[in-house]
Amino acid sequence: MSVKGTGGPAKNPGRGTTGTGRADPAAGVAADRPEQIRNIALVGHSGAGKTLLVEALLAATSAISRMGTIADGTTVSDSDPSEIRQQRSTALSVVPLLVDGVKVNLLDTPGYPDFTGELRAGLRAADAALFVVSAVDGVDAVTTELWSECERVGMPRAVAISRLDHPRADYDAALAACRRAFGESVLPLYLPLHTGGEAAGLLGLLSGTVSEYTPGESGPARRPASADELAGSATARGELIEGIIAESEDESLMDRYLGGEEISLDVLIGDLETAVARGSFFPVLPTSAETGAGMAELLEMLVRAFPTPLEHELPAVTEIGGQPAGPLTCDPDGPLVAEVVRTTTDPFLGRVCLVRVFSGTLRPDLAIHVSGHGLADRGHQDHDSDERLTQLYSPLGSALRPVPYCIAGDICALAKLGTVETGDTISAKDRPLLIEAWEMPEPLMPVAIEAASHGDEDVLARSLGKVAAVDPTLRVERNAETHQLVLWCMGEAHAEVVLDRLRGQGVKLQTVEVVTPLRETFSTPGAGHGRYVKQSGGHGQYAVCDIEVEPLERGAGFEFVDRIVGGVIPGPFIASVEKGVRTQMQKGVFAGFPVVDIRVTLVGGKAHSVDSSDAAFQSAGALALREAAAAARIQLLEPVSAVTIDVPDEYVGAVMSDLSARRGRLTGTTSAGGETTQISAEVPDTELLRYAIELRSLTAGTGRFRRSYLRHEPVPSSAAAAAANA
């Protein structure tokens, strides 16, 4: 940002520290002390320009010789085949920069809502967030919600307004939108200066200098601002100074300023950096990845104003049994505690894990303990194992460069670990610890798949295990009632990525319609006669039974009543009849769904002293139930879920109307605070198959919902025929 009008990026290694990190591009970047590290997540909606901003920062620090493009699929942080094909980020990527001895780990996060899990992993590994807002599109509702999420945890933030080079760019409008959405503590440090319609320079409001960017030059040229430029920026400069002073710990500073005293630049900059680091002041910088405008200023701000890992509170840590582990600090010599924030698979290296080290130091050949707890509902069973590290790497997008160590506060990649999954804790073998799991979004869109052939089933099963291990937002379910293999995803884009990964491992599969697990019941009484008699010249089969079936209250289950008189059916075969009835209930009597909530009464039958058998009476019981069903009226039951939806107040009417169209029953609305309403309803599961997508469309991406099974209810007659044929 060059708030002091310096000629380039920050010369100070950051927040009062000195020293340099190891910077051998071929061997990666390893910081020596936590003071030399900045972990910064780039967040913002899809298309805001995060990935190109990373490219421009890489070029500005000479980490790459030429910027890649999204269209060509040559950017550093978007290297996954699905990202290249979709031309948008779908996964978290780490790009380290070395800025005058400070290692800056940029975590490029996806902006599309389907990949919220990757975004939250990036925030978990970061100590600050850089919000990237397009000067063309402004601030959307999802970005506003994300800002609030960072505010709740006190994460320091800054704003980069990107794409100044675009013909429709409007910096002033984007800045005004940021202040409306994020609050009055969001203030610009620079104003763009336009020449011939292009933003060719930046005016520093504190320094009073202008940075002029010329194509082909390695950095900006700086000059004092002209009298007209200073006059035009006087109002913005005054607001900035007042905003900084308002955050100062020196309570006399405001009185001195209002009294006409000129506050020194060093004092203002010191208070600015302190306020940004503690998350109470949020600077705005104009940038253009295409022209490089603002890159030197942004690098200086990242290094000087954002906090070091020493200033960021560690997640809660416990012993494996749940006992408190005591306070830990970001100390390279402390107990080892690290967390796996992302996992990928490599055909040569196996599982490659992106790890944030919170305490201690990772080194090659170190014996470690791996713990994974709290994700059993996602198919990730609790696990503990001991492993040994081989090589450590500094990731640069998809490239892995060896490093000799990774200290507390830093981020590295580990390979060839057999049991590690995303979200796992890595600790010392002799002192296993567990980090409190971060909140994962619930996948709510089902996608049913099946192997293309019987021979592909084993390959599908193995590949699913690998894909699920690296993606905690994916839930794999084998439905016990429909026998379908269902992938629960965050949305269509997420499902597409998961399917791409499976096919990339050689799996031949196809998607099929998701079958809602309906049930059947008797709505009227019925009677059935089951006769199973077979003679084939030898030992025959003989069993006859008569039953009466009547419906029970919803949820009552199944009752079997024996009213045999005179021993016409021997005792052991009565149990056989019940078993046959139960078997037929599982198979269904109308549309192939399980039968529930009935009472079956065995009232008569016949047996043969020689030919009767357990198998014969089981078959007779099944036949009797089918005949009773033919004589009665069968009712289909559908699952209904209790749904809770959180939406901004402006979308409440649209959401409630949509719920009514989905046969939903509203059960209540409550204020959730912050201009948000929580809607409670009961909705049939068949109406929720694509609700994750449709709610997002209905609420501009701001709606969130949760669901839980409530009960089964009769399917309306208008929908029963379609359900039976599904």
Side-chain angles (χ1 to χ4, degrees):
M1 63 185 172
S2 192
V3 292
K4 291 187 177 179
T6 57
K11 303 301 180 185
N12 185 347
R15 306 195 62 75
T17 66
T18 58
T20 58
R22 182 170 174 272
D24 178 0
V29 180
D32 296 322
R33 299 194 311 279
E35 299 95 320
Q36 298 173 274
I37 302 169
R38 306 292 184 274
N39 297 309
I40 301 162
L42 274 68
V43 298
H45 67 79
S46 184
K50 301 184 295 298
T51 298
L52 287 182
L53 186 62
V54 170
E55 289 290 306
L57 292 172
L58 283 166
T61 55
S62 301
I64 57 175
S65 58
R66 179 181 178 184
M67 286 178 56
T69 66
I70 293 175
D72 294 338
T74 53
T75 60
V76 171
S77 55
D78 284 355
S79 56
D80 189 274
S82 63
E83 292 178 313
I84 295 172
R85 184 171 53 81
Q86 295 187 26
Q87 295 197 358
R88 63 183 171 199
S89 298
T90 64
L92 173 67
S93 180
V94 175
V95 176
L97 308 175
L98 195 63
V99 184
D100 291 321
V102 177
K103 182 182 180 182
V104 180
N105 290 315
L106 297 177
L107 296 107
D108 186 12
T109 68
Y112 198 68
D114 277 21
F115 307 106
T116 303
E118 299 281 341
L119 167 65
R120 291 190 179 175
L123 292 176
R124 176 70 161 211
D127 302 311
L130 178 65
F131 277 71
V132 182
V133 175
S134 169
V136 180
D137 303 316
V139 180
D140 68 344
V142 174
T143 305
T144 303
E145 183 180 351
L146 182 58
W147 182 276
S148 299
E149 186 173 328
C150 290
E151 188 173 38
R152 285 192 292 272
V153 298
M155 177 168 281
R157 283 147 282 160
V159 179
I161 295 181
S162 63
R163 303 180 68 191
L164 290 180
D165 54 283
H166 195 281
R168 293 191 292 108
D170 189 335
Y171 175 81
D172 293 334
L175 175 60
C178 288
R179 300 200 68 191
R180 285 194 304 271
F182 305 151
E184 294 301 312
S185 294
V186 176
L187 288 167
L189 294 184
Y190 300 88
L191 297 179
L193 299 178
H194 292 81
T195 302
E198 294 186 358
L202 270 62
L203 169 61
L205 292 176
L206 291 182
S207 65
T209 61
V210 174
S211 303
E212 294 181 330
Y213 285 83
T214 303
E217 296 294 328
S218 58
R222 289 188 169 88
R223 61 171 176 81
S226 67
D228 288 343
E229 290 168 340
L230 291 175
S233 63
T235 300
R237 184 175 191 272
E239 291 180 349
L240 174 61
I241 292 176
E242 290 181 12
I244 294 172
I245 292 175
E247 297 295 334
S248 174
E249 296 177 355
D250 185 348
E251 297 180 357
S252 68
L253 206 58
M254 182 63 78
D255 292 336
R256 290 158 49 194
Y257 174 72
L258 295 177
E261 180 180 336
E262 185 72 23
I263 308 301
S264 74
L265 188 59
D266 286 342
V267 171
L268 290 174
I269 291 173
D271 286 342
L272 167 66
E273 293 175 351
T274 300
V276 173
R278 72 185 178 204
S280 59
F281 185 84
F282 316 104
V284 181
L285 294 87
T287 64
S288 169
E290 291 290 339
T291 66
M295 294 305 111
E297 290 76 13
L298 180 56
L299 285 169
E300 185 178 5
M301 193 274 296
L302 298 180
V303 169
R304 297 189 54 151
F306 272 159
T308 72
L310 293 171
E311 300 169 83
H312 190 75
E313 185 177 355
L314 270 64
V317 180
T318 65
E319 306 287 346
I320 296 298
Q323 304 87 353
L328 296 179
T329 60
C330 182
D331 181 2
D333 297 322
L336 177 61
V337 178
E339 186 172 34
V340 179
V341 294
R342 185 165 190 267
T343 310
T344 58
T345 56
D346 183 273
F348 303 104
L349 296 176
R351 291 186 185 180
V352 178
C353 307
L354 192 64
V355 174
R356 163 70 192 260
V357 182
F358 289 104
S359 175
T361 300
L362 289 174
R363 299 182 185 277
D365 204 39
L366 180 68
I368 61 170
H369 182 82
V370 178
S371 295
H373 294 250
L375 287 175
D377 60 329
R378 302 292 179 90
H380 301 260
Q381 298 302 317
D382 291 354
H383 54 274
D384 290 275
S385 63
D386 294 327
E387 300 207 32
R388 185 172 293 277
L389 299 181
T390 54
Q391 181 66 58
L392 276 62
Y393 300 93
S394 173
L396 179 63
S398 62
L400 298 176
R401 303 171 300 170
V403 290
Y405 49 79
C406 183
I407 66 169
D410 207 353
I411 297 172
C412 68
L414 309 176
K416 298 181 180 179
L417 296 178
T419 62
V420 175
E421 299 181 357
T422 301
D424 284 1
T425 301
I426 293 176
S427 55
K429 180 181 178 180
D430 57 357
R431 191 189 173 185
L433 297 170
L434 188 64
I435 295 180
E436 182 181 41
W438 75 82
E439 183 182 354
M440 283 289 180
E442 183 70 22
L444 294 167
M445 193 194 85
V447 177
I449 63 171
E450 60 183 28
S453 67
H454 182 72
D456 295 312
E457 290 179 355
D458 289 342
V459 180
L460 174 58
R462 289 194 300 271
S463 298
L464 267 178
K466 295 178 182 178
V467 171
V470 306
D471 187 354
T473 62
L474 172 69
R475 180 157 54 90
V476 181
E477 174 191 59
R478 173 71 72 174
N479 191 288
E481 295 187 26
T482 65
H483 308 294
Q484 282 192 310
L485 182 59
V486 179
L487 308 180
W488 288 89
C489 304
M490 298 295 298
E492 284 185 312
H494 182 214
E496 189 176 350
V497 169
V498 171
L499 294 175
D500 278 352
R501 288 172 180 167
L502 289 171
R503 290 172 176 138
Q505 296 181 27
V507 180
K508 295 179 181 178
L509 57 84
Q510 57 195 18
T511 59
V512 294
E513 290 292 326
V514 177
V515 177
T516 302
L518 303 181
R519 294 175 185 171
E520 303 172 1
T521 193
F522 283 61
S523 59
T524 61
H529 175 71
R531 184 175 185 274
Y532 188 77
V533 178
K534 288 189 176 181
Q535 294 293 334
S536 56
H539 183 69
Q541 297 289 335
Y542 186 94
V544 178
C545 65
D546 294 294
I547 64 172
E548 294 176 353
V549 183
E550 56 187 309
L552 296 177
E553 292 183 358
R554 200 71 60 236
F558 170 64
E559 292 182 17
F560 185 82
V561 180
D562 171 19
R563 288 188 181 168
I564 291 295
V565 178
V568 293
I569 298 179
F573 295 147
I574 293 175
S576 302
V577 174
E578 180 181 355
K579 187 175 181 180
V581 169
R582 287 182 178 273
T583 300
Q584 188 62 50
M585 287 175 63
Q586 288 299 313
K587 295 178 180 178
V589 293
F590 173 60
F593 298 105
V595 179
V596 296
D597 302 334
I598 61 171
R599 177 186 292 121
V600 174
T601 303
L602 180 60
V603 296
K606 293 180 182 180
H608 190 278
S609 59
V610 176
D611 292 343
S612 290
S613 65
D614 171 66
F617 271 99
Q618 284 190 45
S619 299
L623 289 170
L625 185 64
R626 293 202 296 268
E627 184 173 299
R633 186 158 62 88
I634 303 300
Q635 173 73 63
L636 287 178
L637 304 176
E638 63 181 346
V640 175
S641 288
V643 178
T644 304
I645 309 164
D646 295 306
V647 294
D649 294 344
E650 60 185 299
Y651 298 113
V652 169
V655 170
M656 291 174 64
S657 297
D658 180 69
L659 286 173
S660 178
R662 296 176 184 276
R663 299 187 286 126
R665 290 188 297 275
L666 185 69
T667 57
T669 59
T670 58
S671 174
E675 299 183 348
T676 302
T677 296
Q678 187 173 92
I679 302 171
S680 300
E682 298 176 358
V683 186
D685 283 12
T686 52
E687 302 290 345
L688 295 174
L689 295 178
R690 295 179 59 82
Y691 193 57
I693 303 168
E694 288 150 354
L695 178 64
R696 185 181 300 160
S697 174
L698 198 63
T699 62
T702 60
R704 299 289 183 269
F705 81 103
R706 300 177 298 280
R707 60 185 288 185
S708 59
Y709 170 76
L710 192 61
R711 59 180 173 268
H712 273 69
E713 291 185 352
V715 177
S717 56
S718 58
N725 295 325

